[in-house]
């Protein structure tokens, strides 16, 4: 991604018009170079890439600015869960055509999020494709040397904690597809809008990164379903867990849909796109963690306990029975 | 990209089987985490992303291992031109289906190049797409603080130098498409194969990175055509240039095709996919640069001179006339 001078092509002009304003970091060299620089003075650079594809991770009709925000935020969510501070990102944008009415709001949404989260555009590549739109972002963060929080590290006795609420995004997608949730909330536009917004625009918990770094023994973001992702965290840590399903935090619209029989809890905890954080907090750090989370304005809820053993975590209902899960987590293949 | 434990999906199994062996850097945590770490002790991290798309940057019939090599090498070429030492990369792979007979050679080619260039896989994302295959790589390099070589910095009087030979890749593509070059080299399978290999598998000049860093005032890789890319370098540097077109290095097959009238020099110097380096070397550094290039085993050829002014570089034939250029450089839009 390089802005044009003499010999500017359509691609160069597009980059200059829409993306150069986002390249606010001095290391981006105003996108007039072939590469950017990330300064590091002894910290570790945390690197992560996540892509979103039209028809898979977002819908063709989704507003361009929400597509941009989702593309960046799914990566910011990973940085948050690792305890890292955002430092910048690279963008790969595969488009069928360069359409100003799509690019202008896309770049505006991306720029607003880049500014809000302190994660400037460092460079990128725009390519043409006859296929679906695809946005791949590589995001970078900083942590003090050796302080990245891993999937591994959870210990028996740790509390299992999640941020925010679980299951909203899959309900939002169901509403966009005209599913059961849409009919069951026909009387409540605000609830429908809230769930749709949760699907389209994740709320990454970057405000919690420092508390995660200071207190969590293990952490990851919930992108492929709470049940599957916690299973991965436990597997990487060589532990098991027991989860009190009625204690899993739900939004009011999600609780309404459960009560109306238009959703089931097994689906909510195994569907994807939550972009919350699930982490393990040692018992003696929980109070400090909860205090730090409160100061950061992020709701955190203990939902269970890490156990010794290597069996998959158990998700138990109020009667202590295992909740049936339709699938453990999302897989592309 | 994370390798599986309990709850492994098809996607996880794919990653464990094909990509975990490439994650040789300790900062990749064997792909069992959500992010990787790049250590930096005071150096600058150079970051770059370039994507390749089926039908645009490679052909559907290209062998999977050459597609993988091209995806990595187009990024390595940028790192080389910036004077950076490869440090690792993130991979985004958009596939229609997980096909072992494609993935196995793809991963093998990628792994061989990652090892050869000292650029280990740090993480990635695999997504399904109904559209063309797409591989986006974000590559990272290291340079001593402040020592990245830029597009800007060329000064009047500097020599313009290119590595290797120019125009081979576009001729290779022409052969794959059954164009004029194929017919004109019907008698010479070795020449055809050489040109096709130049299209499919770029030869990034990473061996030259240190010499570039020590001697070049400005540098970039030639990916979108020598004429257009030099124009961009001059524009970024606020200078012009004059190029002696007969002095531009050509391979023997390219020279044969020119002689047989099956190619024209204007196309060769404005077509893309060379993945050579064009750089500006101050006159008093040229001897040292040439010596360092020789020691690195990279052919370098002076082809012209940087001039004061802001007009586009002039490409002159043996009679001092401007060579007609069909287009200045490749644009996706």
């Amino acid at each position: 991604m390089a802005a044009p001078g003499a010999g500017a092509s359509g691609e160069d002009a597009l980059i200059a018009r829409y993306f150069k304003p986002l390249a606010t970091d001095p290391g981006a060299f105003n996108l007039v170079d072939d590469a950017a620089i990330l300064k590091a003075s002894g910290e570790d650079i945390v690197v992560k890439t996540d892509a979103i594809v039209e028809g898979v991770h977002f819908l063709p009709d989704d507003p361009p600015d929400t597509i941009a925000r989702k593309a960046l935020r799914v990566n910011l969510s990973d940085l948050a869960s690792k305890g890292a501070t955002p430092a910048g990102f690279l963008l790969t944008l595969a488009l069928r055509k360069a359409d100003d009415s799509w690019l202008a709001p896309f770049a505006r949404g991306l720029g607003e999020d880049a500014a809000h989260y302190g994660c400037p555009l460092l460079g990128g590549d725009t390519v043409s494709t006859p296929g679906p739109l695809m946005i791949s972002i590589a995001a970078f963060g900083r942590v003090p040397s050796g302080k990245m929080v891993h999937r591994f590290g959870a210990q028996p006795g740790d509390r299992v904690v999640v941020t925010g609420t679980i299951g909203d995004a899959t309900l939002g997608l169901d509403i966009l597809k005209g599913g059961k949730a849409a009919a069951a909330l026909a009387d409540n536009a605000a609830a429908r809008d809230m769930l749709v917004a949760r699907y389209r625009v994740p709320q990454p918990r970057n405000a919690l990164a420092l508390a995660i770094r200071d207190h969590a023994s293990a952490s990851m973001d919930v992108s492929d379903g709470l049940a599957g992702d916690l299973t991965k965290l436990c597997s990487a840590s060589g532990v098991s867990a027991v989860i009190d399903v009625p204690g899993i935090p739900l939004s009011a619209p999600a609780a309404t849909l459960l009560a109306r029989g238009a959703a089931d809890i097994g689906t909510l905890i195994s569907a994807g796109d939550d972009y919350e954080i699930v982490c393990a907090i040692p018992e003696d750090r929980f109070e400090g963690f909860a205090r730090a989370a409160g100061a950061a304005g992020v709701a955190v809820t203990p939902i269970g306990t890490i156990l010794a053993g290597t069996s998959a975590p158990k998700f138990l209902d109020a009667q202590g029975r295992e909740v049936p899960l339709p699938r453990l987590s999302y897989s592309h293949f």
Side-chain angles (χ1 to χ4, degrees), chain A residues 117-128:
Chain A
Y117 291 99
C119 194
L121 178 67
L122 295 174
D125 192 20
T126 52
V127 295
S128 59

Side-chain angles (χ1 to χ4, degrees), chain A residues 13-279:
Chain A
L14 179 164
I15 291 162
R17 178 160 184 191
Y18 294 116
F19 296 112
K20 192 173 167 176
L22 281 59
T24 55
D25 191 272
F29 305 107
N30 288 316
L31 305 183
V32 294
D33 213 323
D34 309 281
I37 278 184
L38 205 55
K39 290 274 174 193
S41 20
E43 321 97 318
D44 289 345
I45 304 293
V46 176
V47 301
K48 169 68 190 184
T49 192
D50 240 341
I52 65 172
V53 178
E54 182 185 30
V56 180
H57 305 86
F58 62 93
L59 300 175
D61 289 342
D62 283 343
D65 79 292
T66 72
I67 297 170
R69 291 177 200 273
K70 187 166 194 173
L72 184 56
R73 289 176 183 212
V74 301
N75 284 283
L76 288 167
S77 178
D78 280 301
L79 294 182
S81 77
K82 303 290 102 179
T85 306
F89 72 102
L90 298 172
L91 170 71
T92 300
L93 184 56
L95 296 171
R96 283 183 293 273
K97 58 177 178 159
D99 176 347
D100 288 316
S101 69
W102 191 91
L103 278 165
F106 179 89
R108 181 174 41 74
L110 193 62
E112 286 175 7
D113 270 8
H116 177 75
Y117 291 99
C119 194
L121 178 67
L122 295 174
D125 192 20
T126 52
V127 295
S128 59
T129 174
L133 294 188
M134 175 166 157
I135 303 112
S136 176
I137 281 180
F140 314 120
R142 294 188 175 94
V143 288
S145 180
K147 296 295 185 189
M148 185 175 101
V149 184
H150 295 280
R151 280 193 189 180
F152 51 86
Q155 295 291 330
D158 290 353
R159 290 207 192 183
V160 178
V161 175
V162 293
T163 59
T165 55
I166 295 296
D168 299 322
T170 191
L171 294 169
L173 177 59
D174 190 52
I175 288 167
L176 286 169
K177 291 181 162 177
K180 270 197 279 188
L185 288 176
D187 59 342
N188 192 337
R192 292 198 309 276
D193 290 349
M194 177 272 183
L195 294 172
V196 166
R198 290 277 287 163
Y199 171 72
R200 284 181 170 158
V201 185
Q203 301 295 324
R205 304 306 180 182
N206 297 81
L208 199 66
L210 186 59
I212 296 279
R213 202 160 81 201
D214 285 347
H215 299 290
S217 57
S219 173
M220 67 186 289
D221 78 333
V222 182
S223 55
D224 292 337
L226 175 62
D229 286 340
L230 178 63
T231 302
K232 290 172 185 172
L233 185 149
C234 286
S235 171
S237 296
V239 297
S240 186
V242 60
I243 301 299
D244 172 43
V245 171
I248 294 173
L250 302 177
S251 68
T256 300
L257 287 167
L258 276 187
R260 292 182 181 177
D264 75 279
I265 187 69
T267 300
L268 298 193
I269 65 177
S270 54
D273 272 329
D274 293 298
Y275 299 104
E276 298 292 349
I277 291 174
V278 60
C279 58

Side-chain angles (χ1 to χ4, degrees), chain A residues 275-299:
Chain A
Y275 299 104
E276 298 292 349
I277 291 174
V278 60
C279 58
I281 307 286
E283 185 59 36
D284 62 354
R285 310 304 301 260
F286 182 76
E287 197 181 313
F289 175 73
R291 203 180 311 118
V298 178

